[in-house]
Amino acid sequence: MTSCTWAGFEAAEPDFARTARRRFEAYTHHVLATLRKDGSPRVTGLEVTFRSGELWLGMMPDSRKAHDLRRDPRFALHANPGSGTGMGGGDVRISGRAVEVTDPETVARLAAETGAPQPFHLFRAELTEVVRTCVEDDLLVIRSWRPGGPVRTVSRT
């Protein structure tokens, strides 16, 4: 499956990338889904950051989610929907593969920029799909994008 960096997504679909990023930046905590050793899903909280054209996933040392991603890098990341049922900005989900970054300079730079306590596991997200679901004019509107293709829009009553 084709994947790309956050910068690649921004270059391909700047408006959609801006909308998705705003949704993630509206809240600190989001929901990450990984795969356990037995193949069942694990859903946990996570903070993310956008820096240097990348979507970064950081997690505590020896966390189960870090072990999951080391074993199977596939993930789904769901933006915090916020309080209530308003869903201001829509519902945004990103799927992809997490690439662990162990370069000490990169880890130290990200720690300094974000104030993250060390040590921590650092992963760079390689995107395979971005989806936004929202309500527009009483229609459910689903926009999705995959690397190498245009944004697809489906509307439902």
Side-chain angles (χ1 to χ4, degrees):
M1 179 173 276
T2 304
S3 65
C4 75
T5 63
W6 185 263
F9 175 41
E10 286 180 319
E13 294 293 341
D15 291 337
F16 193 29
R18 194 170 22 262
T19 297
R21 182 172 175 163
R22 271 197 306 262
R23 194 70 190 91
F24 277 94
E25 289 179 335
Y27 297 94
T28 302
H29 298 97
H30 307 286
V31 178
L32 176 72
T34 59
L35 295 170
R36 298 172 190 255
K37 191 184 302 185
D38 68 2
S40 63
R42 182 187 315 273
V43 179
T44 56
L46 182 77
E47 294 181 26
V48 303
T49 188
F50 297 86
R51 304 220 182 241
S52 304
E54 303 285 1
L55 169 57
W56 298 97
L57 316 173
M59 47 208 79
M60 293 172 55
D62 294 320
S63 66
R64 294 287 89 206
K65 57 191 158 198
H67 288 288
D68 288 347
L69 291 172
R70 284 177 159 174
R71 185 180 48 261
D72 186 331
R74 294 176 293 171
F75 73 88
L77 180 64
H78 187 231
N80 185 326
S83 61
T85 59
M87 296 293 292
D91 178 62
V92 176
R93 296 175 311 280
I94 296 172
S95 299
R97 289 187 298 277
V99 177
E100 188 166 18
V101 175
T102 57
D103 170 58
E105 289 180 21
T106 304
V107 173
R109 178 178 51 83
L110 260 289
E113 290 177 4
T114 63
Q118 290 196 53
F120 62 94
H121 295 286
L122 180 62
F123 293 86
R124 179 177 50 78
E126 288 285 330
L127 285 57
T128 57
E129 183 178 49
V130 180
V131 178
R132 178 177 182 249
T133 305
C134 62
V135 176
E136 295 177 1
D137 300 323
D138 294 328
L139 294 174
L140 181 68
V141 178
I142 304 163
R143 289 186 177 84
S144 61
W145 174 83
R146 292 183 178 188
V151 173
R152 294 184 50 210
T153 302
V154 175
S155 298
R156 297 184 179 146
T157 57

